[in-house]
Each structure stands twice: as C-alpha cells, then as structure tokens.
Amino acid sequence: MTTSPTAREILRSVMSGERSSLSFAKASIDQADAVRAGHDGLNILLHRDDSVARSRARSIDEKIETGEKGLLAGVPVVVKDNIATLEMPTSCGSRILEGYVSPYEATAIARLLRQGAVIVGKSNMDEFAMGSSTENSAFGPAKNPLNPSLVPGGSSGGSAAAVAAGIVPLALGSETGGSVRQPAAFCGVVGVKPTYGRVSRYGLVAFASSLDQIGVFGRTVDDAALGLESIAGLDPLDSTSAAEPVPSYCEAARGSLAGVVIGRPREYFPPELDPDIRERCDAVFDTLRRLGAEVRDVSLPHTSLAIPVYYIIAPAEASSNLARFDGVRYGLRIEGDGLQAMYEATRSRGFGREVTRRILLGTYVLSAGYYDAYYKKAQQARTLIARDFSKVFASGVHLLFTPTTPSPAFPLGAKSDPYEMYLSDIFTCTANLAGVPAVSLPIGRVNGLPVGGQFMASHFDERQMFVAAYALERALGAEPLS
Ligand code: GLN
C-alpha cells in the first residue's frame, strides 16, 4: 500500500524521461481496479473515465518531449465530487445532482491541469460536504483502506482514502469545518486547509461560502505543499480570493524551527482527551523542542463556542446556497401538481436526511424572530473565536499545535446521533471560523490506527506552517501506513 510513488517521485521520473506519464496513469487506474476488486468496494471513487485519463497522460508525454514543464507533470490526482470538472460528473454525493456535468471547470482544476496533472476520478463524499464520515453519501459510504470496517472520515473521505490506498499520491478535497484534516488524520495522510481566500472557490459547489476552501491531500508534506503551490493565488473569478503573493511552499522544506514559538492551546487538551492522543501530542512537543522551537502554553478562551457557532452559521449559509437546487436549473426534477409541488417533490426526493436537517435548521435560525437570537449571536461569537487567534499570534506565537481529532477513525455506523457526529469537528472547525490555515499530518498510531496532529498559522502564513510540518515529518520518520 505504501510502495506507490509520491507526486515528487513521479514528477522527477516523468521530467527526466525515465518513465512516461502514461505508465503512471495506467498504474493509478490498475490500483483503482485492485482496490475495488480486493476490498469488496471501498467505494472511494464515484466517477472514473480511464480513457480520458490515458489520453491526457499521452498528451503530457508529448508536451514534455517539446520541453514543457509543470509542477505536477504526469501526476495522477483524484478530485472531490463537489469540484467542477468538464469531463466527469460533479454530483456532490447527492441524488439531486446525480449525473450532472458542469459546463465549466473550477479554477483549481484548470490550474492542476495547467501544471500537468492527470485527473483519474472524482471521489466519494458526504452529500454536499455535510458530514464527518462519508456515510452521508447518497451513493453509499466510502470505507477506510486501513480497515474497511472503519470510516475514512469526512466529508472528503473518498479523497483521503484514494491517497491512503495508493491510487494517487495527491487529491483535492474541500473544507468548511475540517473536512480535509479530519479524514487525513483518519487515513494516515497529510491534509492542508489553506487560509480563507488563498485558493479560488470558483467551481467549488457552495456549502457555506464564508467558510468553504479547497484543500489538498498528500501522502507526504512535500506532496501536499506541491499541490497547494499549484492551485493557490488570486483568481478574478472569485472575489473572495486574495491578492497575497504565493511563496514556494516546497522551499519551506529547507526552513528551520530554531526560535519558532509554538503555542499549546490548553482548550485543545481537556482532561477528558483520549490519553493515547495526549501522549502522542506530548511526544510531538518534545520533538519540536529538540528541533529548536519554543513551546508556550496559550489559551483560546472561546474554543468551546466553536461547535454551536459552526452548526448555526454553516447550516444558515447552506440553506441559502442550496435553494438553487429546485428542479428548474440543475439535475433532478420530479414533476408535481404545479410549481410548488414540483419543488417539494424534487427537493424531498433529491436531498438526503442530513442535508434536509441542515436546510431546516438553517432556515429556522435565519427566520424573522430567531435571527437575532441565533444567527446574529453566532456571528458575534465567531468574531470572538477569530479574535482569540489574532491575539495569540500577535503575542509572538508563530504556530499552534493540537490534536486534529478527539479520537482515531471510528467504525461505520458508530455515530447515529447527529450531535455526536458534529463533535468530531471540535478541534478543526475553529480554523475555518477564524479563516486561518492549518495542516494535519500523521503523528503516530494508537491501537494500530493513525493519529493526526495539526499546525495552525496566522492568515496567509502557510509557509511557516509547512516549515514545521516538514521538520516534524522528517523527525518522526516515515510512518508506514499499514
Ligand atoms: N463535518 C462538518 C460538517 O458536517 C464539516 C464538513 C466540511 O468541512 N465540509 O459540516
């Protein structure tokens, strides 16, 4: 499972002419077949078009012969099913968009392709990215390649699993409240959520627009850095994308932790934290000190508000964003007796239970009479959470390090109470609410299952975050995935 090459290795091999892009695309396709046959359906990919992937790889090989270069030349990638591609459907894991093919492609996709990537498939996900286990997919749950009785995490579970299963070295996911980092932690891979505004959201199907960001999975920090470097930067098609210059994240490999101050926020290490996870994090802090960093105890006092705030703001925005799926313009349409009946039939048949719950919840908190009590209050509390981060970073702390999740991957079907599922995001949704970047990487194992730890940085300081991730990964050594 771990023998498949990294994106960096593929790039070197393709650029030097040692192996063709086509041979890597074929290996990726074979591995997708093997995973499907071998594990009785891990259900990682929702769409594949092998002939498009092969012909794309062939055209990359031709371009390389004429001297063209790309950061991802010949690298097979998988893309979450909520990111618009021209050649495969973009169904968002939902019946309402089943078979829907977008007439335009996302900026992140255009950029991947410009750098020479080969898209081999679209990955399974919780419907409209709502969930933390990929069990909310309308097309059946994805499973964790490390142990198929466990969830891969969510909502970008298929992308994390595709990387962990060695189908591709690199995958795109999306984050609204932890959906890249949490599955990365559960599958033992690296997951990056960039600063809000760092990567264009053009062509990412909107869930909660003030939180959504495209993120990257890699098996190594270097691959994740390579992936983010390829897609980051201003895009005139997304007014929320930022004009901040994009430094080379791969260069961060040469950085040092000497003199870097790393905060240990006490709210992320509550007394009830799983003792094994705490122990792994303590070992990381020791390693970081050995690498020259100063570890400082800090506080983000409004952390306990994050889950209630997130689960008001995200459904509120979702209820508005998902109004467009009405049977008129996109996807599914079920006729009824008049327009109202058509809306009702289409939406109640097209959306699954969790999406319906969020729409109802969101509509409620935005309705007259409740708006001030819920939505406005949540926005005020969000400001307090964001301010916690600004204050800590202004006090001379460069990075924060915390566990990514409160537990390792859990069994399929284990969390039937939605609130229990929501608590999986307790350490991750804060970065989304504050808009800061974060990266999760494997920091060891508990009972054979991978555990993730995350670095969070101040806005647009992904580079500093990568310096630490590269250094920690090197220090911990390559952890075998299985
Ligand atoms: N698990 C969270 C939710 O269900 C986050 C999802 C995400 O980041 N897309 O909303």
Side-chain angles (χ1 to χ4, degrees):
M1 213 177 250
T2 55
T3 51
S4 56
T6 64
R8 177 73 66 189
E9 286 162 354
I10 294 175
L11 176 65
R12 283 209 189 103
S13 178
V14 169
M15 291 308 297
S16 69
E18 184 187 312
R19 268 183 71 180
S20 68
S21 169
L22 183 60
S23 75
F24 285 110
K26 282 182 176 160
S28 190
I29 290 166
D30 288 348
Q31 181 62 5
D33 285 339
V35 166
R36 199 166 50 183
H39 290 282
D40 192 28
L42 290 181
N43 208 14
I44 292 175
L45 298 180
L46 293 178
H47 320 289
R48 276 169 62 181
D49 192 329
D50 298 348
S51 67
V52 168
R54 278 192 293 263
S55 72
R56 163 99 190 128
R58 268 188 219 103
S59 81
I60 305 249
D61 286 327
E62 282 161 20
K63 283 188 182 152
I64 285 170
E65 273 181 26
T66 65
E68 268 193 52
K69 291 194 176 74
L71 273 180
L72 296 175
V75 176
V77 301
V78 151
V79 175
K80 190 175 180 178
D81 198 31
N82 60 349
I83 303 176
T85 47
L86 291 172
E87 279 148 345
M88 273 177 264
T90 299
S91 65
C92 295
S94 181
R95 291 266 172 240
I96 213 158
L97 283 178
E98 190 169 4
Y100 169 76
V101 181
S102 167
Y104 66 96
E105 70 188 358
T107 297
I109 298 295
R111 290 184 180 180
L112 280 186
L113 295 175
R114 199 178 313 141
Q115 295 300 338
V118 176
I119 298 174
V120 299
K122 300 289 287 281
S123 60
N124 203 354
M125 57 181 281
D126 284 302
E127 185 177 4
F128 284 104
M130 297 175 192
S132 310
S133 68
T134 317
E135 291 167 294
N136 294 336
S137 167
F139 308 109
K143 293 167 194 163
N144 193 318
L146 305 178
N147 175 345
S149 70
L150 305 177
V151 302
S155 62
S156 316
S159 287
V163 173
I167 296 173
V168 285
L170 206 69
L172 292 190
S174 70
E175 273 232 8
T176 303
S179 278
V180 168
R181 287 164 290 151
Q182 187 255 19
F186 281 12
C187 292
V189 301
V190 177
V192 182
K193 184 220 89 80
T195 308
Y196 184 79
R198 184 52 108 182
V199 173
S200 168
R201 295 186 295 116
Y202 182 74
L204 169 67
V205 178
F207 163 7
S209 310
S210 75
L211 298 157
D212 297 341
Q213 269 292 286
I214 290 177
V216 181
F217 292 95
R219 222 178 58 224
T220 61
V221 171
D222 189 45
D223 280 2
L226 199 57
L228 183 59
E229 207 171 306
S230 306
I231 60 171
L234 180 69
D235 174 18
L237 296 173
D238 173 8
S239 60
T240 64
S241 80
E244 294 287 321
V246 181
S248 164
Y249 300 128
C250 301
E251 294 276 310
R254 288 203 276 272
S256 144
L257 281 183
V260 172
V261 180
I262 300 180
R264 181 186 183 280
R266 89 163 73 96
E267 292 77 10
Y268 289 69
F269 297 88
E272 60 275 24
L273 179 66
D274 180 324
D276 293 317
I277 292 187
R278 179 193 304 278
E279 193 218 289
R280 287 303 320 150
C281 289
D282 285 344
V284 167
F285 283 118
D286 287 342
T287 306
L288 294 171
R289 279 191 204 95
R290 264 203 312 282
L291 292 168
E294 179 198 328
V295 175
R296 197 180 287 176
D297 284 320
V298 298
S299 173
L300 299 164
H302 297 94
T303 302
S304 63
L305 300 177
I307 290 282
V309 164
Y310 173 86
Y311 281 96
I312 291 173
I313 293 176
E317 293 185 22
S319 71
S320 162
N321 274 325
L322 269 58
R324 73 191 68 178
F325 302 106
D326 57 4
V328 176
R329 284 161 294 185
Y330 307 90
L332 187 74
R333 176 188 180 101
I334 298 187
E335 294 302 339
D337 193 8
L339 187 63
Q340 193 62 35
M342 186 280 285
Y343 285 158
E344 225 176 278
T346 302
R347 285 170 66 85
S348 42
R349 192 85 67 81
F351 291 135
R353 281 179 72 85
E354 184 60 26
V355 173
T356 306
R357 179 181 295 119
R358 304 273 181 116
I359 292 173
L360 291 173
L361 206 67
T363 307
Y364 179 79
V365 299
L366 288 176
S367 57
Y370 294 105
Y371 182 95
D372 284 351
Y374 294 108
Y375 184 71
K376 193 165 159 225
K377 226 349 154 247
Q379 290 291 15
Q380 289 165 336
R382 179 180 184 174
T383 303
L384 296 175
I385 292 167
R387 226 176 259 165
D388 283 354
F389 279 90
S390 316
K391 278 189 193 152
V392 163
F393 290 126
S395 74
V397 170
H398 301 107
L399 294 168
L400 298 165
F401 181 81
T402 78
T404 307
T405 58
S407 76
F410 46 84
L412 284 141
K415 295 191 195 283
S416 48
D417 172 4
Y419 187 65
E420 226 191 292
M421 187 69 86
Y422 298 169
L423 288 174
S424 318
D425 309 326
I426 198 153
F427 299 146
T428 40
C429 70
T430 45
N432 304 78
L433 289 166
V436 299
V439 58
S440 172
L441 70 161
I443 57 166
R445 288 182 175 252
V446 168
N447 299 326
L449 295 177
V451 172
Q454 66 174 340
F455 288 105
M456 294 184 270
S458 60
H459 295 105
F460 299 103
D461 204 4
E462 284 87 356
R463 196 189 165 276
Q464 181 66 266
M465 178 179 101
F466 275 116
V467 167
Y470 270 111
L472 180 61
E473 179 185 56
R474 254 192 321 259
L476 294 176
E479 285 273 336
L481 286 180
S482 57

